[in-house]
Every structure is written in C-alpha cells, then in structure tokens.
Amino acid sequence: MEYLSRKLGMLQNDRFFMFHPKCRQLKITHLIFVDDLLLFAKGDVYSVHKFFQCVKEFNDVSGLEANPEKCSVFYGGVDDSVKSSINNDLGFSEGVMPIKYLGVPLTTKKLSYMDCNPLLSKITGQFQKWLNHGNLSYTGRLQIIKSVILGVQIFWTSNYILPASVLQEMDGLCRRFLWGKSGQNLRIPLVAWERV
C-alpha cells in the first residue's frame, strides 16, 4: 500500500490534476485505512483518470485489485455528462450518502433517530440471539448488557452525539432484556435502573 500511497501523492506534481476543493489547501489526494481507500479529486475526467491509472499500475505491480462490487463513486456538483463519462471509464456504481464505514454512518450533520436505526436493530438482534440460547440469569443478562451492548453504544458515541430519544430507546431495550417478560407484561424490576 505504501507504493500506491506514494504514487497517489505524486499527483500533486501534475499541474493538470485538480484537488477536491476541500482538500486543495492540505493537498490531500487519498486516505488509506487497513484495506479501505478513499480518493479525493475534483469531479473532472482527467483527475479521475489519473487516479484510475495509479490504481491500475498498483494492480499490475502487486496483483491486488479493487473489487468493483465494493467500490463506489460519490459526486457533488458534477454535470451529468461528466458523471456518465466517469462511470463508463471506471465501471463503478454511483454511491449515495450517507455511507457506512466500520458500521457507523458517515455524515456531516447531527444524527437523527432514523440514522440510528442500524444501531437499534443491531442491539435488538443481539438480544434476540441471546434470548434464543436458553435461560440466562439476571447476572448473565447484566453481563451481556455491560460487555456487549454498552461496547456497541460506546463505539457509536465515540464518533457522534446520539439523540436523547435513541439513548432512551437503548435504555428501554436493555431494561426489557434484563428483567424479561412474564406473559405480555414486563416483570417488576428488582432494582432501580439508575442503580443497575
């Protein structure tokens, strides 16, 4: 990846290559994290073609290649004719925002309740999985809440400020999981939730 990074970094010496307007001052062309690569350029055919050449050369040298099914192109303020030309050259699908990265939506705005639906679905799915494994004691349920569920919550809150309604919903899910149900009603809690 160092080879690819150097190759992409050399694009700043190409006077026809156009940086993304928000990346021009710092001369950022790319970000690499583990096996993910984000490329930034102005939405013109020449700049995107130069990116494609760098990636193609890296492919020829290393044998590694991009999976077209996992690649997307994101546009902002680009003419439809330029978009279609770029899409035809690359063969990648056009992405839509917000995208998810490491399970968290990438967005520049404050998260809404709807943006947090994947988080709530994940927590609900975890609870369902554990409930299907048989009877758990209160201690076992509390341990799952503390180690698994709160770990997911901390991961999200380390990236975003979650809406109060989402935090309340998460508390409700955790309470229902901890105390369980008898028939249609929630069992009477043995300890106040704040103390738990």
Side-chain angles (χ1 to χ4, degrees):
M1 292 307 279
E2 183 62 33
Y3 176 83
L4 177 60
S5 187
R6 279 195 315 251
K7 204 74 177 138
L8 293 168
M10 290 190 319
L11 289 175
Q12 65 184 319
N13 300 328
D14 184 339
R15 62 188 183 112
F16 297 109
F17 177 81
M18 303 292 285
F19 286 97
H20 184 280
K22 300 288 185 181
C23 301
R24 183 180 306 128
Q25 187 175 1
L26 296 174
K27 297 191 183 313
I28 296 173
T29 56
H30 65 286
L31 295 173
I32 297 176
F33 181 72
V34 188
D35 62 348
D36 294 318
L37 173 65
L38 301 172
L39 302 172
F40 306 100
K42 186 171 182 174
D44 67 283
V45 175
Y46 179 82
S47 299
V48 174
H49 184 69
K50 290 304 278 186
F51 272 152
F52 191 66
Q53 281 181 330
C54 289
V55 172
K56 186 92 172 98
E57 187 176 324
F58 175 72
N59 173 28
D60 294 341
V61 170
S62 68
L64 299 173
E65 59 185 89
N67 182 346
E69 293 176 13
K70 294 184 177 181
C71 296
S72 299
V73 181
F74 295 88
Y75 299 98
V78 177
D79 291 336
D80 287 338
S81 61
V82 176
K83 277 186 191 181
S84 82
S85 177
I86 291 172
N87 287 338
N88 289 338
D89 287 347
L90 298 180
F92 300 147
S93 63
E94 183 175 344
V96 293
M97 295 298 268
I99 60 171
K100 282 174 55 174
Y101 184 68
L102 299 176
V104 180
L106 291 182
T107 180
T108 58
K109 62 180 181 62
K110 185 177 176 181
L111 287 183
S112 68
Y113 186 89
M114 294 301 290
D115 293 328
C116 296
N117 272 342
L119 169 64
L120 296 173
S121 297
K122 182 172 186 153
I123 290 171
T124 303
Q126 288 288 328
F127 285 150
Q128 281 299 338
K129 183 174 82 173
W130 284 101
L131 287 173
N132 291 338
H133 283 3
N135 293 331
L136 290 169
S137 66
Y138 287 123
T139 306
R141 290 177 190 215
L142 185 59
Q143 191 60 42
I144 289 169
I145 290 170
K146 286 183 175 181
S147 61
V148 178
I149 305 307
L150 293 182
V152 172
Q153 180 183 353
I154 288 168
F155 178 71
W156 276 64
T157 56
S158 66
N159 295 295
Y160 299 106
I161 297 172
L162 297 179
S165 58
V166 171
L167 296 173
Q168 290 168 353
E169 178 71 21
M170 289 176 64
D171 276 352
L173 290 170
C174 291
R175 273 197 300 271
R176 286 190 290 279
F177 176 72
L178 179 62
W179 300 120
K181 288 185 177 181
S182 62
Q184 296 286 40
N185 300 325
L186 187 65
R187 287 192 182 137
I188 297 173
L190 304 175
V191 180
W193 184 247
E194 292 76 22
R195 195 154 174 221
V196 172

